[in-house]
Amino acid sequence: MVIFSIIGTVIHLTSGIPSRSPNGYEILKATAMWDWYENNEYGQIEVNMNRGIIPQIGVKNVKPNFALWGDSHAMSYIPAMDILSKKYGLSGCVTTLSATPPIIDIDASLNIAKFNSDVITFIKSHPQIKTVFIAAYWSYYIKSEDDLRLLTLGLTKTVDTLQQMKRKVILIEDFPSLSFEPIRYLWLTSIYKKLIINPDDNRTMYYKHNKNINKVLFELSQKKKILLLSPEHKMFDKAGHVIIFDNNKLLYRNSDHISTEGSRFLTPVFDDVFKNMVNEK
């Protein structure tokens, strides 16, 4: 036990002995996983929501004119939207909670129902919020046809409610999830380059997995005449494979979430929307 304790202490103090894989360590060091999450209010959104305190992104001394609503996949877009808000002199509110789809008035857990009801109340009481971005890990909530039906009903109700409040709604399709853990893959390939086969996560797999929900999002956007953004288009290379690295930086923090660098990578997807919001202030 003493020997293993000493070994564990050495590994901890040396940050995992980076000399084992210098290439992998340099990539990880250059990659911000979710550097904004643990150290500020974004990691306490559920608590702050109950206190009436909503985190802001962008220019702090400007009244927020948009809101980002959804689960942890919506939360993943915070760095991109923060960059664009500061670029165009805007401010936005973050109303996100992990594993909580932005749906209202359907059978759901009390936690989901209360949080989303609080979001509606908050947006309604802040008329300066003109635009609402809605995003989620959509496929995560669909295990059956009944799940798809309920999600469709709840999301439609969300959009209807916001439009009745004269808010502009923007739906966001989901980015690709991975079939492997990117950090583990990074370390293994940096050590055993000739033994590791590249994962075949590709465009075809993504659209097959998200076919039903993307159809719902598209049809809803057409019916309600709202903008539908598709960030996944930027996440595939010319061969159709998911882009995991860009400029030697890891774009994923785990198999289901993009990293801070991944969010920054998707900034161009939202640029035109933020540019137009300046004229709508």
Side-chain angles (χ1 to χ4, degrees):
M1 290 179 65
V2 172
I3 293 173
F4 282 114
S5 296
I6 293 173
I7 293 173
T9 301
V10 170
I11 293 175
H12 174 72
L13 292 176
T14 58
S15 300
I17 312 179
S19 58
R20 292 179 300 156
S21 177
N23 291 334
Y25 178 73
E26 287 303 314
I27 293 176
L28 280 178
K29 190 170 68 172
T31 299
M33 303 310 290
W34 262 17
D35 55 345
W36 45 267
Y37 182 77
E38 296 293 345
N39 299 322
N40 58 40
E41 70 268 31
Y42 301 128
Q44 297 292 324
I45 290 174
E46 182 180 13
V47 175
N48 290 335
M49 192 75 167
N50 293 332
R51 297 173 180 171
I53 303 171
I54 307 297
Q56 277 187 242
I57 53 179
V59 183
K60 297 296 184 181
N61 60 348
V62 173
K63 286 186 177 182
N65 70 311
F66 73 90
L68 172 62
W69 183 7
D71 57 14
S72 60
H73 277 216
M75 197 183 299
S76 298
Y77 297 122
I78 287 176
M81 292 190 178
D82 185 53
I83 289 171
L84 291 171
S85 295
K86 291 173 179 174
K87 176 180 177 180
Y88 292 110
L90 301 172
S91 175
C93 291
V94 178
T95 54
T96 58
L97 182 62
S98 295
T100 305
I103 54 178
I104 59 175
D105 290 353
I106 69 163
D107 294 333
S109 71
L110 292 177
N111 187 49
I112 291 175
K114 183 182 184 308
F115 181 82
N116 288 328
S117 176
D118 288 344
V119 172
I120 287 292
T121 300
F122 173 79
I123 294 173
K124 188 175 183 179
S125 63
H126 290 77
Q128 73 272 18
I129 295 178
K130 304 294 186 182
T131 303
V132 181
F133 294 89
I134 295 179
Y137 187 1
W138 302 113
S139 62
Y140 176 79
Y141 307 104
I142 302 173
K143 303 298 187 293
S144 66
E145 286 295 324
D146 196 46
D147 289 341
L148 180 62
R149 181 182 64 83
L150 290 175
L151 182 64
T152 302
L153 288 174
L155 184 57
T156 301
K157 183 64 176 178
T158 297
V159 172
D160 285 342
T161 301
L162 290 170
Q163 288 191 323
Q164 289 166 10
M165 293 160 54
K166 308 299 182 184
R167 298 322 197 259
K168 179 179 179 180
V169 181
I170 297 176
L171 292 176
I172 305 175
E173 290 182 341
D174 199 17
F175 50 78
S177 292
L178 304 176
S179 62
F180 59 96
E181 286 298 329
I183 296 177
R184 180 173 182 271
Y185 174 77
L186 165 65
W187 280 95
L188 289 175
T189 52
S190 64
I191 299 173
Y192 307 109
K193 293 181 180 179
K194 295 182 180 180
L195 300 180
I196 303 298
I197 300 174
N198 289 334
D200 191 30
D201 287 37
N202 55 55
R203 183 183 286 109
T204 301
M205 291 173 59
Y206 169 84
Y207 285 112
K208 182 178 180 180
H209 185 64
N210 291 274
K211 177 182 177 181
N212 291 332
I213 185 57
N214 280 359
K215 180 181 178 182
V216 168
L217 294 173
F218 176 76
E219 290 179 349
L220 185 59
S221 69
Q222 294 294 299
K223 183 178 180 180
K224 303 298 181 180
K225 298 180 180 179
I226 57 181
L227 180 63
L228 175 65
L229 296 179
S230 303
E232 76 277 5
H233 290 169
K234 189 169 173 56
M235 298 297 293
F236 300 107
D237 61 21
K238 292 181 179 179
H241 293 97
V242 177
I243 301 173
I244 305 170
F245 300 104
D246 181 64
N247 290 328
N248 214 36
K249 294 179 180 178
L250 189 61
L251 302 186
Y252 283 82
R253 67 185 295 261
N254 57 34
S255 61
D256 294 326
H257 297 87
I258 55 175
S259 64
T260 298
E261 293 299 337
S263 185
R264 291 169 181 162
F265 181 75
L266 291 176
T267 299
V269 174
F270 304 99
D271 191 80
D272 284 344
V273 176
F274 276 76
K275 188 185 302 180
N276 291 334
M277 280 198 291
V278 175
N279 301 323
E280 298 168 356
K281 290 175 63 175

